[in-house]
Each structure stands twice: as C-alpha cells, then as structure tokens.
Amino acid sequence: MNTTFDDRERGYESKFAHDESLRFKADARRNRLVGEWAAGLLGKQGDDARAYALSIVTSDFEEPGHEDVFRKLSADLDGKATEAEIRAKMAELMTVARHQIIGEAD
C-alpha cells in the first residue's frame, strides 16, 4: 500500500537524481568551455583545441571538487593566466554552462 509519504519520498529521490544529473552535465560543460578558453590562450586550434578541452573534462575525474581542473589549468597556463583569472573564468563559465544545460532541458 502506497502512502502519501512514500509518493513524496519517491518524488524527492527523483528530483535529487535529476538535480545531480544536471549538476554533472553543467560541470562537464563548464570544463569543456574553460578548456576551449585555455586552448585559445595556448594557441591551439581545431582538433588540437578539441582534444585539449576534452583533457580538461577528464581531469575533473581525478578527485571530488574542482581543484583538479584548476591545478591542470594553472600548470598548463603558467605565465599565460593568473590564478585569479583562471578561477574567475571557471566561475563565469559555470554560470554559462548552467544556463545552457537548463535551456536544453526545457
């Protein structure tokens, strides 16, 4: 027998799973966007730029959080962007990525 509580619990579980999926997609999108930005600073174009952006996406799987991505960008962009510039670009592109993902979900 299903109760209102059971239905509500299933609804919350579904919403949580959906929110986590959107967060994962937004993180991956931000990483690709910041990878494309960094590729431009490094003078990469075409397939090289796409491959570099993908390397930024995969660098996020090393540990929870975004510091693994920041460390890779910081090392790769040494002398081309400051720590503050990299962090600001990551924050800016997270907002862009979220808006893109939400727009695609509608």
Side-chain angles (χ1 to χ4, degrees), residues 42-76:
L42 295 168
K44 297 179 182 293
Q45 298 177 352
D47 289 342
D48 286 342
R50 282 186 284 283
Y52 180 78
L54 182 59
S55 78
I56 297 300
V57 172
T58 58
S59 73
D60 196 22
F61 301 133
E62 293 176 12
E63 64 186 44
H66 305 293
E67 284 303 303
D68 44 0
V69 172
F70 171 77
R71 278 194 307 275
K72 175 161 180 44
L73 288 166
S74 182
D76 292 352

Side-chain angles (χ1 to χ4, degrees), residues 2 4 9 12 29 32 48 70 75 83 90 93 98 102-103:
N2 284 342
T4 303
E9 184 176 17
Y12 284 130
R29 177 75 55 94
R32 182 178 56 81
D48 286 342
F70 171 77
E83 177 178 325
M90 288 176 71
L93 292 175
R98 285 181 179 145
I102 289 169

Side-chain angles (χ1 to χ4, degrees), residues 18-34 57 60 66 90 93-102 104:
H18 178 72
D19 290 350
E20 284 296 302
S21 174
L22 289 178
R23 187 181 63 76
F24 177 80
K25 288 177 184 177
D27 284 350
R29 177 75 55 94
R30 186 276 319 269
N31 292 340
R32 182 178 56 81
L33 293 170
V34 79
V57 172
D60 196 22
H66 305 293
M90 288 176 71
L93 292 175
M94 179 53 94
T95 300
V96 170
R98 285 181 179 145
H99 287 294
Q100 288 179 357
I101 296 297
I102 289 169
E104 292 167 7

